[in-house]
Amino acid sequence: MNDLVRQHTALSETDLEWLHLLVSEWQLLSDLSFADLVLWVPTLDGTRYVSVAQMRPNTGPTSYQDDMVGHLVPRGRRPLLDAALDEGRIVREGDPEWREEVPVRVESIPVRREGRVLGVIARNTNLLTVRTPSRLELTYLQSASDLAQMIAAGTFPYPGQQVDMDASPRAGDGLIRLDADGVVTYASPNALSAYHRLGLAADLVGQHLGTTTAELAPSRGPVDEAIVKLASGWAPRETEIEGNSGVIQLRAIPLKPKGTRIGSLVLCRDVTELRRRERELITKDATIREIHHRVKNNLQTVAALLRLQARRMDSEGGREALNEAVRRVGSIAIVHETLSQNLDERVEFDEIADRVIAMVAEISPGKVECRRTGRFGILDAEVATPLSMVLTEILQNALEHAFTQGEGGRVEVSATRTGTGRTDGRLLITVLDDGSGLPEGFDPQRAGNLGLQIVRTLVEGELGGAFDMLRAEPRGTKVVLDVPVSPQK
């Protein structure tokens, strides 16, 4: 709609915002009217109309099989559009149009904002299935007529009340019609069922909806007055009411077709099961985060015990082996600590990489600078955990073997992420040092060092990636990891 309005019309940005607000609300008008809606806006030169939005009803058959958005119609071809635009009033046609052997009743509703008519809504009703209307259908049609008059007068939609069509109740979910005093004159079967779920034993018709709703909701002191006012339809508001193990969502729409409030529409939906599932998911998420938190605590306890054991060992080799185990356990604990703070099983790995680099840098024999460039991005937990261990082993190996005691140097970890949308994602990691380099004849794929064995097993076996160690120029060692990951969102 933005492109069509800006390309073909003279409407301002504030006018466009009003049309967006209208389109966010007009599913209700379409459902209450049992009709298709097409929004036509005059072009910049005033010789044509362009259709910028379309809505089909959920309550009846459509009048348009094709998409009308983007169509251009010369002025004069559809007299009802011209009359509604020029005279600023709702125009109804006497005889129906015939479209592909289907009779269609056509009406035009001017869209007014601050005294100006911005465009015209063409309301098209498929008459093929017309029959004697029920009480529900009559209430729908009367409510649609009231809303149409408010649109023509520029009093609907309500400013600042942008509606999420997926989250708000719809006409088919449950509809209650109130008079000017807030007394129910009609309640659809779905609306009555929703109130029965709250604990209502009687019929709704003839009752004051605000008072009845407040009595069914748990007592909240001063809040009861707000519930009474909202459910009485005095202002355009939306809320949820919980009582008797049921939850219903309410949306009130004051009706002022001629400038004076004549009553209200209250849309309601039973969201009991939806809220129950949401609470179960919240509980599940909290449980998962608590598990990660406890795993992290347990791993830190294990690391502390290994550290105590290392201090009491006489063997230098045994002490160093335990210290390496402490760092390996610590790298896994960092991942679990991060997971305990997230709502899903995904982590921002850059933070983890920085903490692993800082942890391993503590063992540096000299003044070795460790830093990271590039971004790892967000990784799944099943990738983050082994990758943190791999990074720990590679950095530990570089700091222990690339530099002698007291020697300065540099270790740089760089990460490059590829793949977006549906393309396969890859993570290319390079660890480069300017140390002494690899010894002659060194084969990283066959070396018996425990750390390299762990790296090979995790990268090739668990992560399904590739690992290599090369001589760097002019000196030092370059470790390259290529790991498949989920594409970036």
Side-chain angles (χ1 to χ4, degrees):
M1 185 167 73
N2 287 353
D3 293 339
L4 289 170
V5 169
R6 289 166 181 158
Q7 179 181 353
H8 294 285
T9 77
L11 297 183
S12 65
E13 289 299 316
T14 52
D15 293 334
L16 180 56
E17 289 177 10
W18 182 261
L19 295 185
H20 274 294
L21 187 60
L22 172 65
V23 169
S24 75
E25 293 273 22
W26 73 343
Q27 178 73 66
L28 176 61
L29 177 62
S30 178
D31 290 345
L32 293 175
S33 304
F34 308 97
D36 290 75
L37 306 179
V38 180
L39 178 57
W40 297 93
V41 180
T43 56
L44 185 61
D45 58 9
T47 62
R48 295 181 295 175
Y49 298 96
V50 58
S51 58
V52 298
Q54 179 178 1
M55 179 57 67
R56 292 184 173 90
N58 294 318
T59 51
T62 182
S63 302
Y64 289 109
Q65 298 300 324
D66 299 325
D67 189 358
M68 295 296 296
V69 175
H71 283 215
L72 289 164
V73 174
R75 184 177 171 87
R77 180 175 295 180
R78 300 194 177 183
L80 270 68
L81 293 181
D82 297 339
L85 183 70
D86 296 338
E87 300 172 22
R89 63 180 180 88
I90 299 175
V91 182
R92 293 181 173 86
E93 188 177 44
D95 297 326
E97 292 183 2
W98 286 84
R99 300 175 186 165
E100 299 180 356
E101 300 183 353
V102 175
V104 177
R105 183 174 64 241
V106 181
E107 301 171 80
S108 293
I109 305 167
V111 177
R112 192 184 304 273
R113 174 181 175 269
E114 295 182 352
R116 295 167 44 244
V117 177
L118 307 182
V120 179
I121 294 176
R123 181 163 56 174
N124 303 270
T125 307
N126 186 324
L127 300 178
L128 199 60
T129 58
V130 167
R131 54 187 173 79
T132 303
S134 64
R135 177 74 188 282
L136 180 143
E137 291 167 333
L138 289 173
T139 304
Y140 272 29
L141 293 171
Q142 181 57 55
S143 301
S145 176
D146 293 336
L147 288 177
Q149 291 182 58
M150 292 169 65
I151 291 173
T155 57
F156 186 83
Y158 291 101
Q161 294 292 317
Q162 185 105 18
V163 173
D164 183 352
M165 289 190 292
D166 294 328
S168 292
R170 299 188 178 187
D173 296 324
L175 180 141
I176 301 171
R177 178 84 186 215
L178 308 180
D179 64 16
D181 297 322
V183 176
V184 178
T185 59
Y186 177 78
S188 72
N190 284 347
L192 191 58
S193 297
Y195 266 81
H196 285 167
R197 189 74 178 264
L198 281 184
L200 179 69
D203 193 2
L204 271 175
V205 176
Q207 298 198 43
H208 189 278
L209 187 65
T211 304
T212 301
T213 304
E215 290 173 352
L216 294 172
S219 178
R220 299 179 184 176
V223 181
D224 288 347
E225 184 178 343
I227 294 176
V228 171
K229 190 170 183 179
L230 186 145
S232 299
W234 286 98
R237 294 287 185 272
E238 193 169 325
T239 191
E240 286 187 5
I241 305 296
E242 183 171 357
N244 192 36
S245 302
V247 184
I248 65 171
Q249 189 177 13
L250 295 180
R251 183 188 174 205
I253 304 172
L255 297 176
K256 305 175 182 178
K258 296 181 179 179
T260 303
R261 182 175 170 276
I262 63 167
S264 304
L265 274 184
V266 176
L267 305 179
C268 61
R269 178 169 60 178
D270 184 349
V271 292
T272 305
E273 292 304 314
L274 178 64
R275 295 297 175 257
R276 182 183 63 81
R277 293 192 195 101
E278 287 178 351
R279 287 165 184 164
E280 287 178 354
L281 288 174
I282 291 172
T283 302
K284 180 181 177 182
D285 289 340
T287 302
I288 291 173
R289 290 199 299 272
E290 178 63 20
I291 289 172
H292 284 302
H293 182 71
R294 293 189 181 188
V295 169
K296 181 263 297 184
N297 289 344
N298 290 339
L299 288 172
Q300 288 180 338
T301 300
V302 171
L305 292 173
L306 291 173
R307 199 175 291 111
L308 287 172
Q309 186 67 41
R311 290 172 184 168
R312 286 162 175 74
M313 290 199 69
D314 297 329
S315 167
E316 182 64 30
R319 187 161 48 248
E320 185 54 38
L322 287 177
N323 285 331
E324 288 182 4
V326 168
R327 287 187 286 274
R328 288 165 185 152
V329 172
S331 66
I332 302 174
I334 290 172
V335 177
H336 282 281
E337 181 180 2
T338 305
L339 286 169
S340 70
Q341 300 168 0
N342 291 348
L343 293 176
D344 55 13
E345 292 291 288
R346 309 190 76 199
V347 295
E348 177 64 62
F349 197 80
D350 295 320
E351 178 186 349
I352 293 175
D354 292 339
R355 293 179 62 180
V356 166
I357 291 171
M359 178 183 69
V360 178
E362 294 177 359
I363 68 166
S364 172
K367 296 180 180 180
V368 179
E369 177 191 0
C370 298
R371 68 189 185 100
R372 171 181 64 86
T373 61
R375 291 194 71 252
F376 288 85
I378 297 175
L379 300 178
D380 295 332
E382 57 264 27
V383 174
T385 302
L387 187 59
S388 67
M389 287 193 65
V390 167
L391 191 58
T392 300
E393 296 298 333
I394 293 174
L395 289 170
Q396 190 168 283
N397 188 72
L399 292 173
E400 286 183 352
H401 303 294
F403 306 99
T404 59
Q405 186 70 34
E407 182 184 10
R410 179 176 57 86
V411 178
E412 181 176 302
V413 179
S414 64
T416 304
R417 187 83 174 262
T418 63
T420 58
R422 296 182 179 178
T423 19
D424 292 338
R426 310 289 303 182
L427 179 59
L428 184 66
I429 305 168
T430 303
V431 181
L432 179 66
D433 68 67
D434 58 357
S436 57
L438 297 174
E440 290 294 333
F442 180 82
D443 184 357
Q445 303 302 328
R446 296 187 179 182
N449 178 288
L450 176 60
L452 291 181
Q453 288 182 17
I454 291 174
V455 170
R456 286 198 301 269
T457 300
L458 291 177
V459 172
E460 297 172 0
E462 190 162 343
L463 294 174
F467 156 73
D468 199 7
M469 293 182 73
L470 311 166
R471 286 182 176 273
E473 296 297 337
R475 57 172 289 175
T477 305
K478 180 180 182 181
V479 180
V480 179
L481 304 174
D482 186 1
V483 178
V485 294
S486 300
Q488 299 182 88
K489 302 299 182 183

